[in-house]
Amino acid sequence: MTKLVEAHDLYRFQGEGQDQTAILRGVTFDVSEREFVCIMGPSGSGKSTLLHLLSGLDQPSAGRVVLRGQDVSKLSEEARTLERRAALGYVFQFFNLLPNLTVLQNVGLPLAISGQHPESEEARLVAILERLGLASRRHAFPHQLSGGEMQRVSIARALAGGQPLILADEPTGNLSQKAGLEVMRILRGLVDDDGRSVLLVTHNPRDATFADRVLFLVDGELAKGRELHGPDIHVDRVHEALAALAI
Amino acid sequence: MALVSTIAWQGIRHKPGRALFSILGIALGIAIVTGVFTLDHNTVLGLTAKKGGEWAPALEVRPAASLVDPRGDLERLPGVADVSTFFQNDALARRTEETGRGRGERVRLFALDAESIEGLDAVRVLAGRSLRPGAAEPEVLLGEALAEALGLAVGDRLSLSRPPRQPRTACVDGEIRALGPEGEPAADVPVERAFQVVGVLAREKLGRRSQGMVVIADAAAARELYVGARVDPVYWVRQDPNVDLERLRASLGASFSYELNKAVLIGAAADERAFRNGVRFAGLFALVLGLYVIFHTLSMGLVERVREIATLHALGTTRAQIARVFLAEAALLASVAGVLGLAGGLALARLLLVRGVTTLGTGHVIRTFDVPWPAVLALAGLGVGIALLGSVWPLSKARGASTVAALRGDQAVKSSGTLRGFHLFAAILLAGLLPAIYFAIVPVVGEAQKELVGAVLAGVGFLALLVTLPLVVPALLSRTCELLARPMQALWTYSGRMAALGIRASPSRIAVSAAAIALVAAAFTGLKGMTRSLTGEIDVWAQRALVDKVYLRNLPNIPFQELRAALTQVPGFVALENGSARSWVPFLLLGLRSRELYAHGPCSSDPELLRRFDRGDAVIVSERLARHLGYAVGDRVHVGTGSGVVDLEVIAVSDAYGYFPKPDERLYGVVSDQFLQRAFCQDVETISECAVVLAPGTDPELVRAALHGLRPEAAFGFETGAWLREEHLRDLGRDFRLFDLILGLTAALAALGVLNGQLLAGLERAKELGIQKALGVTRRQVAGMVLCESLVIGAFGGLLGTALGATLTPVIVRSLESLSGLELPDAGPGPWLWIVPAGAIVVALGAALYPIARMNRTNAVSAVRAP
Ligand SMILES: Nc1ncnc2c1ncn2[C@@H]1O[C@H](COP(=O)(O)OP(=O)(O)OP(=O)(O)O)[C@@H](O)[C@H]1O
Ligand SMILES: [Mg+2]
């Protein structure tokens, strides 16, 4: 199966001299086409940092990121940006909506960025919002939304671009049980129905059960031999793994 | 205190761009205004020092014989600040104790009214005191050299007498004659009188005359020394600078002849006043614009500020602490800017003076440099003070804003009308308070006439209009800008779309930037329209006065008839105007031969005019003389001659006859040369300088050839009228370079405004930008966004400003016309109608470069990281 994104022995240091700390220490893994990978780990273990590196937003201190067969570090800034635009839909941990745009405009933003006319795709965008239960709020501004609503808008935005890989950083953190479940079904549907791939970061064991593969990141390293493989990962096995790693 | 320094300092450190550009804006405004004022101050000082050889009062006036109380009449004239009787004569001086021994020192005696000496500012007393009016014993002031020569000090006594007299001469009916004795004492025994020395004069003003060998005495006492001698009544007059010189000259003209002291009256002529007032207004304009840019910056940071204050407040900081924090920051920035601006302004003035640029045109290099500290400090203080007031505003607003709303997001604060209030406040400060204080510190030059006040008010109103623009029309503006942005959306989908969104989201920011550009564009258009009118005026005048003439100078005194005979051989020769016969009466009076008038100008179509001119008691005055001194056909002009005051009748107003380039004087009259001969004993038969009038299209070189034929060895000056016309136009261009420079600097200020606006908007939206970058927006798209916005600002501001400027130009030209006494045609803005908006767009696009570079440095990771 073709690999969409590969991480080769990634290191990421923060700070200088005495204060330097390693956030990531030799992380190696990949996500293939039509694959749903989940990463779990304690707070501060470097999950968000890893996603930033994979998306090319941030540069590793050592190691390589290969995105759709291209070494990201060898690309110019311009090319990297274009590659990210084409390859990834990103659900940020903090919603990062543009305050001056309406919900619909925020969701249509990836289309606008790549030079398309969101108006012409309005029906599709509204359908996405519909699935996330936001169709009625499409003309609201971010500051008029609740935290959960903002989170769902940022998910909708990641889906709107239609990219082959979705990076989702705790997409259900602010959501109710029911809404969270709906989001997970949507993500699973992307893999099963649309043939896209998902890389999910989460603290929620239930979310992990939707994945094909679950990895555990502890202190900047992937816990060896602890991966869970699907299909049909039972929630108890997730709990066991977390307990074993003292997460 | 720790809180104050930490937060205020961190504020500056973390927003170095904002701090830097705020400082730059205030500093540039202050630099221009103080620079302009210092330049004007030194221009007048420097040129006065250059022209002034001997000290003399502003005017020396001779009354017509018919006046009963000339002194009283003079005192009542508007524009006369002080009057003194005056005469001067030679005298012999010696110590009173030495009477009878030797003849004494020959000195110059100046007789003035004791009570007016101070008012005239004619002396500086080094020791002792000035003359006391009505002193029992006659008193004198001595020049320092004389006091030393005679060993006299204050308190000593001095005897003065009249020296043996040479016969006096005067021109009477064309002959120099000795004046008769007129009842002098039979035996010429000079009267000798003793005077008390009450003061010794410093070697300046009158004390410097005759190498300091001077005596100043009260006119009444001094008159007794010259009993029997004829002393013409003369008065010294100090002009009131608040009354225009033309008004004084016009009212004097009715019954006095006078001599103007050009050195004292530098910059006081109508056109000079108009120019200097224009420069002063440009200074105000720059200050307003500079502060406007700053207020803009402040208003940009306002939302952020209010949130910052709200957060601090939420954390338990007291209002007083918060006030101290922001005042400290503002005071630091404003005073750094004040100092920088002041230093920059003085440096600018110095540089311009050394380069020969003055507020009275270019070409006079002035080396002395005097700083008018009180006014300059007041101006810098004004700038700093207004900037501080602007910084305090957010504080008063933060008090009212709800902390929760502020913490929740931008929109809540923006919609609360905070910005609107701020713009209103700024408009009142900048278009009301600032000009009022400015004109108190830097009053207009000359009388506050109706026209001048009107022009100033129109200018201030215009400033107010543009300053309030963002207040009045944000909706209209955003609509217009959207229209302008539409074609860009089609061209650059994403950039155009985001620019349009940005414009819609903050119409008042765009309005402020556009208004700054519009202000400068309007000023440029107005200035260019005005210079085109002035150029047009020169063109019209040159057409009438000199284009068809050739000027010859330094001729080897050729007899009139001989020269004329040679010139008649030149095909196309029309007339010969003699430039050698001239007199100052006090305007330039030229004597022309009557028959040289009949072939061109108004006399060519009016034989009656020529006949009256030939009669000898008629004068044809130049257009400008007529305008400035209010002469019309039929008026009488009083001319003081050797044998008394003579009346000439104005028979025509025309520039066709008698203009000469040296001295370049457009205020003159032309009389029959026979009159000049009779009244001033002028030689009118030989020519050393002349103008040759030619039929249009004649080759001027033919005149040169004819002259060479006549006097093959002679070297003479040769200038064509067409060349002189070009010279005048070049001079005008040079004179207006100062305005170009000031407006160029204000254009930099406007660019700074645009830059500031975009930079701050960029910083304010750093997070949005970061997100967009994370989502795949390229550098080029970011640049496109900012450039699109700039294009809209430049196009909108440029077009609006040019339209306003073009509309205002006729008004400016009309008021300049009445202010300067020039007759100005309406030339319109011409090609500037296109150049100015194009320039505005270029300036706006240029201003975008730095914000683009800065925005492309925003970090996508830190943007998406923070909640
Ligand atoms: N810019 C930075 N400067 C200093 N430390 C940083 C920076 N970015 C991240 N870190 C540190 O790196 C570590 C990993 O951060 P990261 O955001 O990747 O954690 P995370 O696994 O996503 O945690 P959470 O589950 O709470 O979101 C943290 O300890 C954080 O403090
Ligand atoms: Mg995280």
Side-chain angles (χ1 to χ4, degrees):
Chain A
M1 243 193 285
T2 332
K3 282 166 182 160
L4 270 182
V5 66
E6 302 156 55
H8 295 284
D9 206 16
L10 288 182
Y11 282 82
R12 183 71 172 88
F13 302 108
Q14 193 71 48
E16 309 251 309
Q18 290 277 302
D19 300 331
Q20 199 175 59
T21 53
I23 301 173
L24 294 177
R25 293 185 273 194
V27 174
T28 302
F29 81 108
D30 55 58
V31 180
S32 302
E33 260 178 18
R34 292 176 166 270
E35 193 183 13
F36 192 137
V37 177
C38 172
I39 295 179
M40 299 191 79
S43 185
S45 56
K47 306 181 294 293
S48 297
T49 307
L50 180 60
L51 293 196
H52 292 145
L53 293 180
L54 294 179
S55 65
L57 273 177
D58 198 2
Q59 314 304 315
S61 309
R64 290 185 305 134
V65 171
V66 178
L67 196 55
R68 297 204 293 186
Q70 282 178 298
D71 188 336
V72 171
S73 65
K74 296 219 173 88
L75 295 176
S76 70
E77 224 239 48
E78 171 97 10
R80 202 157 52 225
T81 307
L82 294 177
E83 179 57 24
R84 174 167 67 247
R85 186 199 278 176
L88 302 175
Y90 205 139
V91 183
F92 299 107
Q93 183 171 6
F94 307 104
F95 334 119
N96 295 322
L97 304 177
L98 298 198
N100 293 327
L101 302 189
T102 62
V103 166
L104 191 58
Q105 286 171 323
N106 263 298
V107 173
L109 201 58
L111 301 181
I113 290 177
S114 35
Q116 303 167 41
H117 292 271
E119 295 83 351
S120 59
E121 308 234 6
E122 189 168 328
R124 189 170 68 80
L125 299 178
V126 172
I128 294 175
L129 285 173
E130 192 97 42
R131 278 200 74 181
L132 287 159
L134 284 170
S136 61
R137 304 289 284 137
R138 64 176 176 269
H139 295 301
F141 283 91
H143 68 98
Q144 297 162 332
L145 301 178
S146 75
E149 284 170 331
M150 284 195 256
Q151 184 149 47
R152 280 177 283 157
V153 174
S154 84
I155 295 167
R157 183 176 65 186
L159 301 187
Q163 292 93 340
L165 176 62
I166 304 295
L167 301 185
D169 198 345
E170 297 186 33
T172 56
N174 284 281
L175 301 184
S176 68
Q177 194 68 10
K178 187 164 160 264
L181 205 57
E182 177 58 20
V183 166
M184 288 320 297
R185 287 199 184 111
I186 292 172
L187 291 179
R188 188 66 232 177
L190 290 178
V191 178
D192 295 344
D193 308 337
D194 302 354
R196 291 152 88 175
S197 304
V198 173
L199 177 57
L200 171 76
V201 165
T202 187
H203 289 289
N204 190 333
R206 181 210 60 201
D207 290 355
T209 61
F210 284 80
D212 301 322
R213 196 147 57 98
V214 183
L215 310 175
F216 295 92
L217 188 66
V218 183
D219 286 340
E221 287 177 285
L222 287 176
K224 290 200 180 62
R226 288 287 176 186
E227 287 137 67
L228 301 177
H229 289 270
D232 299 326
I233 297 167
H234 198 271
V235 74
D236 291 344
R237 297 199 37 219
V238 180
H239 279 295
E240 275 167 33
L242 290 173
L245 289 165
I247 298 175
Chain B
M1 206 54 221
L3 180 76
V4 172
S5 52
T6 315
I7 296 181
W9 183 238
Q10 292 296 337
I12 294 171
R13 253 191 54 190
H14 286 288
K15 299 263 155 49
R18 187 171 72 188
L20 178 71
F21 290 118
S22 303
I23 289 177
L24 258 183
I26 310 176
L28 199 51
I30 290 179
I32 297 174
V33 79
T34 53
V36 158
F37 186 76
T38 310
L39 185 69
D40 188 51
H41 174 81
N42 281 286
T43 298
V44 172
L45 272 188
L47 293 185
T48 306
K50 265 195 181 170
K51 288 232 171 138
E54 291 192 325
W55 185 89
L59 295 111
E60 192 170 298
V61 178
R62 286 157 214 275
S66 55
L67 291 186
V68 183
D69 175 20
R71 202 198 142 116
D73 289 349
L74 272 178
E75 277 173 345
R76 279 186 291 277
L77 287 182
V80 171
D82 263 292
V83 187
S84 171
T85 324
F86 163 75
F87 70 88
Q88 56 174 326
N89 215 325
D90 283 338
L92 291 173
R94 59 185 160 193
R95 300 175 69 98
T96 302
E97 309 90 83
E98 294 172 1
T99 304
R101 276 177 275 152
R103 292 181 56 218
E105 290 285 343
R106 205 177 174 95
V107 300
R108 195 71 184 160
L109 173 93
F110 290 91
L112 292 167
D113 296 331
E115 67 269 25
S116 302
I117 288 181
E118 257 163 56
L120 285 175
D121 195 26
V123 298
R124 188 163 76 81
V125 178
L126 202 61
R129 59 168 172 81
S130 186
L131 301 183
R132 185 172 291 156
E137 192 184 2
E139 299 175 344
V140 284
L141 301 170
L142 299 188
E144 207 183 355
L146 178 61
E148 276 166 21
L150 292 181
L152 286 169
V154 173
D156 292 345
R157 289 163 65 79
L158 169 85
S159 291
L160 289 174
S161 60
R162 164 170 72 75
R165 197 168 333 119
Q166 313 287 320
R168 274 167 42 103
T169 59
C171 176
V172 177
D173 280 341
E175 282 171 42
I176 310 279
R177 288 194 201 150
L179 286 184
E182 288 184 51
E184 285 183 26
D188 188 15
V189 181
V191 188
E192 185 161 41
R193 287 254 187 288
F195 291 81
Q196 168 99 28
V197 177
V198 295
V200 176
L201 301 177
R203 283 176 204 260
E204 58 185 76
K205 298 178 187 170
L206 278 188
R208 248 187 66 193
R209 290 279 191 99
S210 303
Q211 280 85 46
M213 299 296 280
V214 292
V215 168
I216 295 177
D218 182 61
R223 187 71 184 84
E224 292 175 17
L225 297 175
Y226 302 92
V227 276
R230 180 186 148 131
V231 173
D232 290 330
V234 174
Y235 295 92
W236 275 9
V237 168
R238 185 170 67 86
Q239 178 232 5
D240 176 355
N242 295 320
V243 176
D244 287 344
L245 192 57
E246 292 70 31
R247 191 128 83 94
L248 174 59
R249 287 179 75 170
S251 50
L252 277 174
S255 19
F256 297 90
S257 73
Y258 54 89
E259 250 172 64
L260 285 180
N261 179 357
K262 295 238 159 149
V264 175
L265 298 170
I266 293 256
D271 49 343
E272 294 174 327
R273 285 197 315 264
F275 195 80
R276 291 173 63 203
N277 280 327
V279 172
R280 279 162 189 235
F281 195 80
L284 170 68
F285 175 68
L287 188 60
V288 168
L289 194 64
L291 288 170
Y292 186 53
V293 164
I294 295 324
F295 277 32
H296 178 21
T297 309
L298 289 170
S299 81
M300 288 289 308
L302 191 59
V303 171
E304 190 187 354
R305 265 286 129 103
V306 172
R307 275 172 79 186
E308 218 170 82
I309 292 171
T311 312
L312 283 174
H313 190 57
L315 292 174
T317 318
T318 66
R319 296 285 182 197
Q321 281 171 310
I322 293 175
R324 275 204 298 280
V325 169
F326 292 105
L327 265 181
E329 184 185 330
L332 180 66
L333 293 187
S335 44
V336 168
V339 171
L340 277 182
L342 190 55
L346 296 181
L348 177 72
R350 183 72 217 245
L351 182 75
L352 290 177
L353 286 168
V354 171
R355 290 278 168 106
V357 180
T358 71
T359 54
L360 289 175
T362 45
H364 325 277
V365 176
I366 292 170
R367 298 263 165 218
T368 51
F369 191 65
D370 180 68
V371 180
W373 284 113
V376 161
L377 286 177
L379 285 175
L382 176 64
V384 171
I386 299 264
L388 267 179
L389 277 180
S391 326
V392 175
W393 174 264
L395 286 179
S396 71
K397 260 323 130 341
R399 201 175 286 264
S402 136
T403 306
V404 177
L407 287 174
R408 197 177 157 86
D410 295 355
Q411 235 59 36
V413 182
K414 266 186 197 151
S415 55
S416 71
T418 308
L419 280 174
R420 191 163 261 271
F422 184 73
H423 286 302
L424 181 65
F425 175 70
I428 292 169
L429 276 188
L430 295 183
L433 188 65
L434 181 64
I437 300 180
Y438 181 80
F439 282 113
I441 299 173
V442 181
V444 295
V445 183
E447 265 176 69
Q449 308 165 348
K450 224 174 47 242
E451 291 84 2
L452 184 57
V453 172
V456 167
L457 285 182
V460 171
F462 159 70
L463 285 179
L465 179 71
L466 287 178
V467 169
T468 46
L469 190 71
L471 193 67
V472 195
V473 290
L476 173 81
L477 184 94
S478 58
R479 194 51 54 74
T480 318
C481 288
E482 270 184 73
L483 278 178
L484 283 170
R486 194 156 295 168
M488 288 186 271
Q489 285 192 41
L491 276 175
W492 307 286
T493 329
Y494 184 69
S495 301
R497 175 186 302 273
M498 289 312 284
L501 271 172
I503 289 167
R504 205 174 313 153
S506 48
S508 69
R509 173 173 69 84
I510 304 297
V512 172
S513 292
I517 295 271
L519 267 174
V520 178
F524 254 113
T525 313
L527 173 71
K528 291 304 170 189
M530 194 172 80
T531 19
R532 279 171 53 84
S533 280
L534 288 165
T535 309
E537 195 266 348
I538 289 180
D539 260 336
V540 169
W541 164 77
Q543 200 59 46
R544 288 192 204 129
L546 53 77
V547 281
D548 292 326
K549 297 183 185 178
V550 174
Y551 291 90
L552 305 174
R553 234 188 344 219
N554 302 329
L555 295 171
N557 288 332
I558 306 175
F560 190 101
Q561 287 310 335
E562 187 189 350
L563 181 60
R564 191 174 204 284
L567 288 170
T568 26
Q569 305 304 312
V570 174
F573 169 80
V574 174
L576 171 63
E577 293 181 352
N578 181 4
S580 333
R582 46 175 72 177
S583 183
W584 288 88
V585 293
F587 53 81
L588 177 64
L589 199 59
L590 281 138
L592 297 188
R593 194 144 299 186
S594 312
R595 63 177 277 213
E596 302 299 328
L597 266 56
Y598 100 103
H600 68 294
C603 290
S604 63
S605 56
D606 187 351
E608 171 62 14
L609 204 58
L610 194 60
R611 202 186 50 72
R612 284 166 67 193
F613 183 82
D614 194 33
R615 221 165 48 200
D617 59 351
V619 60
I620 297 177
V621 298
S622 72
E623 300 259 3
R624 195 177 283 188
L625 183 69
R627 258 185 104 88
H628 277 223
L629 300 191
Y631 288 132
V633 172
D635 285 354
R636 307 211 141 258
V637 178
H638 303 278
V639 173
T641 72
S643 46
V645 173
V646 175
D647 273 2
L648 294 175
E649 188 189 342
V650 177
I651 56 165
V653 176
S654 167
D655 285 332
Y657 313 110
Y659 167 78
F660 281 89
K662 292 266 157 72
D664 179 22
E665 173 65 282
R666 282 170 62 184
L667 260 61
Y668 62 90
V670 175
V671 287
S672 139
D673 59 353
Q674 297 312 310
F675 172 81
L676 271 201
Q677 203 278 326
R678 269 201 317 278
F680 302 103
C681 299
Q682 292 252 350
D683 172 12
V684 297
E685 294 303 330
T686 51
I687 291 190
S688 59
E689 179 177 0
C690 67
V692 182
V693 187
L694 300 171
T698 310
D699 178 9
E701 288 302 320
L702 294 176
V703 174
R704 201 202 293 264
L707 251 292
H708 272 304
L710 190 64
R711 293 281 192 279
E713 73 292 349
F716 56 88
F718 178 92
E719 285 164 350
T720 67
W723 183 81
L724 281 170
R725 173 174 157 272
E726 292 311 311
E727 270 298 279
H728 272 95
L729 293 177
R730 260 195 296 278
D731 269 351
L732 181 75
R734 265 200 298 272
D735 288 352
F736 274 84
R737 228 172 265 166
L738 177 62
F739 279 104
D740 285 340
L741 179 86
I742 297 177
L743 286 189
L745 287 173
T746 59
L749 264 176
L752 194 62
V754 175
L755 186 156
N756 250 347
Q758 291 183 328
L759 185 63
L760 291 178
L763 294 178
E764 211 172 60
R765 295 183 320 206
K767 185 167 165 60
E768 292 173 44
L769 262 175
I771 301 163
Q772 293 180 54
K773 285 176 104 175
L775 291 172
V777 170
T778 63
R779 285 168 166 274
R780 206 167 323 165
Q781 283 174 315
V782 171
M785 251 159 66
V786 185
L787 286 176
C788 280
E789 192 184 279
S790 271
L791 196 60
V792 171
I793 292 173
F796 183 72
L799 290 173
L800 177 71
T802 311
L804 261 175
T807 322
L808 272 177
T809 306
V811 182
I812 301 172
V813 168
R814 287 289 82 79
S815 63
L816 180 70
E817 185 169 52
S818 61
L819 284 174
S820 67
L822 303 174
E823 195 175 348
L824 298 175
D826 271 322
W832 297 97
L833 211 51
W834 305 110
I835 300 173
V836 173
I841 291 176
V842 169
V843 165
L845 289 179
L849 297 181
Y850 179 73
I852 288 173
R854 183 70 190 72
M855 279 153 120
N856 271 325
R857 267 191 277 139
T858 45
N859 185 342
V861 179
S862 47
V864 293
R865 203 160 239 305

